[in-house]
């Protein structure tokens, strides 16, 4: 039977599962941020061995209210981590155990790394971040697509990763609510005129609706579904992607778009002269993605990949999608329900300036997405500064 774990029975569970030696001296702390899930860190004080137990809660705490939310997302998360591990084990935590009834995933403790968002806010560069995320996205996308696996097998995976409740959160909070006067939105009163202009922007709303349709209908590759910089642990040498509870089959550009958007939001939080490392990350992620995806394609034994001539189309569509999805993510993180610390931690005047910039940038990313080569993103940031 499901019940939320306490620190004490998380320890009891770890012992029962035989995850530590008999003589272990265990301590446990709940370290999650507590909106959707519990995250317990259990340490053997004798050896410093440690594990993480993540448990889904049957509701999400959103602005004080509780929304019921399926526990199945814990199973989606552990299955996605295992699927990703079969292609890129170096970029995900090891999963030691999972239990559908308890809605838990027991996994490798990554506390020696830092959440990338926090590090980027502190001014860290994480020199390998883009190379690793480019490879992560390319390989997980390719090998879960119809070009990297048997098409009948792929249909089974599409079914396995049907994730309607979590997708609905994205459909509403990313693609709909920010473009209308919806009560989930949240922004500084000083931004009201800018936001009302956005709500009246029919061209923008039509383009965002097209992107939403892609998200709803294009079952192309297995996506992480929530690949912002808070879902990435990093150091100078290592990168690990966590938290794929939103995983589902969707358009190839979605994960790249969310990642780009969160790099851009960090860039906007900085002085102009400090933004270059973020633009470099965006361009390098894209380059590595294209190179890796192309190599996977050329090496593929899948008959369909060998008789298909659409590699170039897939790559160019992926960029258009990524830029459009990035625009949606930039806007929703500015005025929607869930914000980013990169902007929210700025003092008011700088915050307002950065958020106005984000709204202009997000709009142009969406409406110009078909005409922007990757290096044009940097120029667009400059052009939308005022
Ligand atoms: P949520 O889905 O609630 O956002 P996350 O999986 O993002 O949960 O985890 C929330 C926080 O818990 C992370 O920001 C990180 O601080 C911590 N955490 C999660 N997984 C691990 C891990 N494998 N190792 C160390 N810390 C972790
Ligand atoms: Mg969280
Ligand atoms: Mg998270
Ligand atoms: Mg999550």
């Amino acid at each position: 039977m499901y019940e939320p774990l306490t620190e004490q029975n998380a320890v009891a569970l770890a012992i029962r599962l035989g995850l530590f030696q008999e003589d272990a001296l265990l301590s446990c702390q709940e370290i999650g941020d507590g909106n959707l899930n519990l995250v317990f860190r259990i340490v053997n004080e004798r050896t410093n061995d440690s594990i993480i137990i993540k448990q889904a809660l049957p509701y999400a705490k959103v602005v004080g209210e509780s929304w019921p939310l399926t526990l199945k997302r814990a199973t989606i998360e552990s299955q996605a981590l295992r699927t990703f591990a079969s292609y890129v084990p170096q970029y995900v935590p090891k999963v030691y155990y999972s239990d559908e009834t308890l809605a838990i995933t027991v996994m490798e403790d990554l506390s020696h790394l830092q959440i990338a968002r926090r590090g980027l806010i502190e001014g860290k560069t994480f020199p390998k971040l883009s190379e690793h995320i480019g490879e992560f996205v390319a390989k997980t996308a390719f090998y879960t697509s119809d070009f990297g696996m048997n098409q009948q097998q792929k249909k089974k995976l599409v079914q396995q990763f049907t994730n309607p409740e979590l997708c609905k959160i994205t459909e509403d909070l990313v693609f709909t609510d920010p473009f209308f006067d919806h009560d989930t939105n949240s922004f500084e009163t000083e931004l009201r005129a800018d936001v009302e202009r956005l709500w009246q922007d029919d061209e923008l709303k039509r383009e965002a609706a097209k992107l939403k349709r892609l998200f709803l209908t294009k079952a192309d590759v297995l996506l992480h579904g929530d690949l912002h910089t808070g879902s990435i642990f990093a150091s100078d040498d290592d990168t690990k992607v966590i938290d794929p509870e939103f995983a589902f089959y969707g358009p190839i550009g979605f994960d790249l778009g969310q990642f780009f958007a969160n790099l851009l939001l960090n860039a906007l939080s900085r002085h102009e002269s400090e933004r270059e490392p973020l633009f470099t990350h965006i361009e390098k992620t894209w380059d590595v993605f294209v190179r890796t995806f192309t190599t996977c394609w050329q090496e593929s034994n899948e008959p369909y990949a060998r008789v298909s001539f659409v590699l170039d189309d897939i790559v160019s569509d992926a960029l258009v999608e990524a830029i459009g999805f990035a625009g949606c993510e930039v806007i929703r993180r500015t005025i929607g329900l869930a914000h980013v610390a990169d902007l929210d931690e700025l003092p008011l005047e700088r915050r307002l300036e950065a958020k106005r910039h984000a709204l202009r940038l997000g709009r142009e990313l969406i409406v110009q997405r078909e005409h922007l080569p990757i290096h044009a993103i940097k120029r667009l940031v400059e052009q939308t500064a005022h």
Side-chain angles (χ1 to χ4, degrees):
M1 203 194 70
Y2 175 83
E3 107 186 288
L5 293 171
T6 60
E7 291 177 352
Q8 271 139 9
N9 47 36
V11 168
L13 177 67
I15 293 170
R16 204 162 65 241
L17 293 172
L19 294 165
F20 290 95
Q21 287 163 349
E22 298 274 301
D23 67 341
L25 182 62
L26 298 180
S27 69
C28 180
Q29 232 193 328
E30 204 279 314
I31 59 167
D33 22 37
N35 283 333
L36 275 85
N37 301 293
L38 298 170
V39 179
F40 298 94
R41 178 166 187 257
I42 304 178
V43 183
N44 180 353
E45 303 290 347
R46 290 192 213 282
T47 58
N48 269 331
D49 292 337
S50 55
I51 59 161
I52 294 289
I53 302 181
K54 178 172 174 178
Q55 182 180 41
L57 291 166
Y59 54 82
K61 265 187 266 144
V62 188
V63 279
E65 278 176 274
S66 285
W67 291 0
L69 193 56
T70 177
L71 292 174
K72 278 196 201 118
R73 67 192 196 277
T75 302
I76 295 271
E77 174 159 349
S78 60
Q79 289 178 347
L81 287 174
R82 288 188 168 108
T83 304
F84 295 153
S86 65
Y87 309 120
V88 282
Q90 67 275 37
Y91 300 136
V92 283
K94 288 191 198 72
V95 174
Y96 302 130
Y97 178 82
S98 60
D99 183 289
E100 176 138 31
T101 308
L102 282 177
I104 58 167
T105 305
V106 183
M107 69 185 121
E108 182 183 1
D109 181 15
L110 301 171
S111 301
H112 58 292
L113 306 175
Q114 184 182 27
I115 291 289
R117 183 184 310 286
R118 192 39 60 196
L120 291 169
I121 290 171
E122 289 171 8
K124 295 214 178 87
T125 301
F126 300 127
K128 299 274 179 63
L129 180 66
S130 33
E131 205 178 303
H132 291 169
I133 295 298
E135 186 184 350
F136 170 85
V137 175
K139 288 190 173 164
T140 56
F142 182 80
Y143 290 113
T144 61
S145 77
D146 283 306
F147 303 103
M149 74 161 61
N150 169 283
Q151 294 82 46
Q152 274 56 53
Q153 193 61 36
K154 183 226 169 190
K155 288 181 181 66
K156 288 197 183 130
L157 276 187
V158 173
Q159 217 165 31
Q160 180 186 338
F161 286 100
T162 299
N163 197 353
E165 288 193 33
L166 284 277
C167 283
K168 167 112 171 79
I169 293 176
T170 305
E171 289 151 24
D172 290 346
L173 296 185
V174 179
F175 293 108
T176 309
D177 298 358
F179 299 95
F180 296 87
D181 186 0
H182 199 284
D183 59 12
T184 58
N185 291 323
S186 144
F187 50 85
E188 291 78 357
T189 44
E190 292 89 337
L191 293 178
R192 180 146 281 271
D194 306 83
V195 175
E196 284 185 350
R197 213 170 315 124
L198 187 147
W199 289 339
Q200 287 159 14
D201 188 337
D202 289 337
E203 185 188 10
L204 173 64
K205 287 161 76 171
R206 187 165 55 240
E207 295 308 315
K210 288 184 196 165
L211 288 158
K212 176 170 176 171
R213 181 160 176 257
L214 276 181
F215 183 86
L216 284 162
T217 58
K218 193 172 177 187
D220 206 0
V221 304
L222 180 63
L223 294 171
H224 176 282
D226 195 23
L227 194 59
H228 57 85
T229 48
S231 296
I232 301 171
F233 269 108
S235 70
D236 280 355
D237 308 307
D238 286 317
T239 307
K240 304 272 184 188
V241 173
I242 62 164
D243 196 12
E245 63 190 333
F246 283 78
F248 80 111
Y249 260 83
I252 188 168
F254 185 74
D255 284 347
L256 286 171
Q258 288 211 317
F259 182 58
F260 291 170
N262 283 271
L263 294 175
L264 287 170
L265 290 163
N266 183 270
L268 296 186
S269 77
R270 300 180 180 204
H271 189 269
E272 278 157 47
S273 62
E274 320 256 282
R275 291 177 183 162
E276 203 54 41
L278 285 314
F279 299 132
T280 304
H281 271 325
I282 290 172
E283 290 169 22
K284 194 159 165 195
T285 302
W286 177 250
D287 286 347
V288 171
F289 169 80
V290 173
R291 239 182 306 122
T292 309
F293 195 88
T294 303
T295 305
C296 290
W297 184 290
Q298 286 162 348
E299 291 173 352
S300 174
N301 292 321
E302 188 47 50
Y304 182 39
R306 280 189 270 118
V307 299
S308 178
F309 305 96
V310 294
L311 174 61
D312 290 346
D313 297 325
I314 290 176
V315 169
S316 54
D317 287 353
L319 183 59
V320 173
E321 286 175 7
I323 291 175
F325 291 134
C328 296
E329 174 77 358
V330 164
I331 288 175
R332 76 97 170 200
R333 293 291 193 177
T334 305
I335 60 173
L337 177 71
H339 292 186
V340 292
D342 312 56
L343 297 185
D344 272 5
E345 289 177 3
L346 294 173
L348 184 65
E349 282 312 308
R350 279 182 58 208
R351 191 192 331 145
L352 293 173
E353 191 188 336
K355 289 191 172 184
R356 290 193 175 106
H357 191 174
L359 293 180
R360 291 188 294 266
L361 174 63
R363 182 201 191 272
E364 296 311 315
L365 288 168
I366 291 172
V367 302
Q368 295 188 41
R369 67 188 183 284
E370 290 180 9
H371 313 287
L372 294 172
I374 194 76
H375 59 263
I377 292 179
K378 175 184 168 177
R379 203 168 54 229
L380 200 62
V381 171
E382 290 159 3
Q383 287 166 352
T384 50
H386 301 288

